[in-house]
Amino acid sequence: MVPSILRPLLVTSFAIQNSFNFRSLSLTRYLKTFAPICYASSKRNLVSGMSTSSNAESSEIDIGYLNAKDAYNLDVELMTTPGFTLEQLMELAGLSVAQAVYEVSPPPERKILIICGPGNNGGDGLVAARHLMHFGHKCIVVYPKRPTKQPHYTNLVKSCEDLEIPVLDGMPEDLSTFDVIVDSIFGFSFTGTPREPFNNILKDMMLAQTEYNIPIVSVDVPSGWNVDEGDVSGLGFMPEVLISLTAPKLCSKTFKGRHFCGGRFLPPALAKKYQVRMPPYSGTDQFMELPPARSEEK
């Protein structure tokens, strides 16, 4: 399906070809030439508005929330033997992240910066980078603290490098060249306040928002937020997009942007135990856009 923002370009392209007989100018070349002009006026147009592929009943979805303790315990139960492996869950979560990022940053090719933390949230980001590269976007990964005792993370880095995705130890000097930044630093196990190097990385991300108008997509929990209470430290970080995994965390009640849920693997018995439910995903989609939290939910 052609993204709605590109439909005027399609009409214009056909009009040019028919009226001026520019039949040698292919539609693909036209879009590659002129579509970036349409986007350049505001990068945040990439993330504005509801998803065109959202379920028609999305305004009525109520899938519940998980607090930090329940999110941890649910994750442990998912991986109880026999059950899912960490690698399986990370692949499914990362794919859903990539699909949601692609939804808010459709073609033509986007330049996406994916910042990964040292835990499972960072692993989801590495998986997402690989899929986004296959989807046609250009990705660069920042991975400052790499786990050394778990070979799975080494394998994830290698799979990115095999696709010629740069995996950097620090932030690029010029953030203005990116279309989207993916915050895959801290997840539901985060407590306290961010330490270096991530404290400065968060500041750089916020600067990119204000100075360069670059939208930020956070994975599961906006980095630096208290998982249950939100931005209690007063960091002031508010991403434009949040992709909750398995189910939204309590802190997402204070989130103001576009909200997606991904991680299409929740068994009914665990959903019932933790009083959440999996969204009614459409077809083969691994993500779904959720309505804004109701104002009375605090």
Side-chain angles (χ1 to χ4, degrees), residues 43 111 172-179 181 208 211-212 214:
K43 290 181 180 179
K111 187 177 180 184
E173 290 187 7
D174 187 4
L175 295 179
S176 67
T177 64
F178 292 93
D179 297 298
I181 295 175
E211 293 293 319
Y212 306 127
I214 300 174

Side-chain angles (χ1 to χ4, degrees), residues 32 75 95 98 103 134 181-182 188 279 291:
K32 285 184 177 179
D75 217 40
L95 175 59
E103 175 72 18
H134 284 306
I181 295 175
V182 176
F188 61 74

